[in-house]
Amino acid sequence: MSSPSDADAADGDLLQYVASSQLPMPWAVFRIHAFVEPATGKEHVALTLGDVGGDAPVLARIHSECLTGDALFSQRCDCGAQLEAALQRIAEEGRGILMYLRQEGRGIGLLNKIRAYQLQDEGADTVEANERLGFPADLRRYDLCRPMLAHFGIRSVRLMTNNPRKERVLTDLGITIAEHIPLQVNRNPYNEQYLRTKARKLGHRFKEYFGEAP
């Protein structure tokens, strides 16, 4: 069995802290913290508000990069709306963390994501489109969250998500999920099939949208 020092060393190899600064946002003045994966050079950030250390569970969101939704206001997904809603909730509470992981298009990258969009325009759902391009339905990884949370001394979170996989992975990594908070926003005519596919094929919780059996 690995000792805590072994785990700390492994986490250090996985993700390293770089720098922090203030980041004024529409809802509050957050702090942005930069991290890098030494093995790949890939960069990730965390946004924190208030004192997130200590034993009290921290309001948290794991958000994977979505250029089209987060920055270009795409209505094909709910990503940008989830990002904004999560940051607003953290601001309202005055304490929390958002981990922004650079894994565009469920891990397949931006260009392949646009290729997948083209297949979706032709009738494929999001899972089918990824698979036709030779990828699994979801390539995202969440093991980076452990060293990121450890950097801030966070051991327990109140997780804003509809994705039970995130909860399972964090639990397996030794992070306590004190509460699951749904984050269901921006259902619209352009993302109806997208949301139904997430519910039917990826197990996302959308009872408020579609009932028990979407």
Side-chain angles (χ1 to χ4, degrees):
M1 179 179 296
S2 297
S3 68
S5 59
D6 293 334
D8 291 343
D11 283 349
D13 291 338
L14 189 64
L15 193 69
Q16 292 180 356
Y17 167 77
V18 178
S20 300
S21 73
Q22 288 190 342
L23 188 68
M25 304 183 80
W27 314 279
V29 179
F30 284 74
R31 285 196 68 81
I32 186 168
H33 311 266
F35 297 83
V36 65
E37 292 182 61
T40 65
K42 186 173 285 189
E43 302 160 343
H44 308 275
V45 298
L47 296 165
T48 63
L49 184 65
D51 182 2
V52 295
D55 295 329
V58 177
L59 184 63
R61 165 78 179 160
I62 305 168
H63 192 90
S64 296
E65 179 182 34
C66 176
L67 176 69
T68 49
D70 298 342
L72 301 178
F73 315 108
S74 170
Q75 299 299 292
R76 298 182 70 129
C77 62
D78 56 349
C79 303
Q82 286 187 318
L83 177 62
E84 182 172 346
L87 290 169
Q88 186 169 353
R89 289 189 188 186
I90 291 170
E92 289 168 355
E93 292 211 4
R95 179 175 183 261
I97 182 170
L98 186 140
M99 293 166 278
Y100 195 91
L101 306 182
R102 306 293 301 281
Q103 41 189 3
E104 178 75 54
R106 294 183 185 155
I108 67 175
L110 179 61
L111 298 185
N112 283 320
K113 175 181 174 178
I114 304 305
R115 292 186 178 102
Y117 275 178
Q118 181 175 331
L119 293 173
Q120 291 164 36
D121 289 344
E122 296 167 0
D125 65 34
T126 54
V127 169
E128 292 167 346
N130 277 24
E131 291 173 344
R132 289 184 192 177
L133 292 172
F135 299 105
D138 192 344
L139 271 173
R140 289 175 296 178
R141 51 185 288 202
Y142 303 112
D143 55 335
L144 299 171
C145 295
R146 183 169 70 178
M148 195 175 281
L149 291 170
H151 175 81
F152 301 103
I154 297 172
R155 296 178 290 274
S156 177
V157 297
R158 298 163 52 226
L159 190 64
M160 294 182 282
T161 187
N162 307 315
N163 185 352
R165 178 172 169 243
K166 292 180 181 178
E167 296 178 37
R168 291 194 299 269
V169 171
L170 286 192
T171 299
D172 290 344
L173 291 172
I175 307 300
T176 299
I177 309 296
E179 183 183 1
H180 156 250
I181 301 173
L183 196 61
Q184 298 172 351
V185 289
N186 194 36
R187 180 186 180 187
N188 66 73
Y190 299 102
N191 67 17
E192 180 84 9
Q193 184 186 25
Y194 165 87
L195 295 174
R196 287 185 180 276
T197 300
K198 287 211 292 189
R200 288 172 172 164
K201 295 190 174 182
L202 299 175
H204 290 218
R205 302 185 185 95
F206 284 121
K207 179 180 178 181
E208 285 81 355
Y209 284 171
F210 306 121
E212 293 288 355

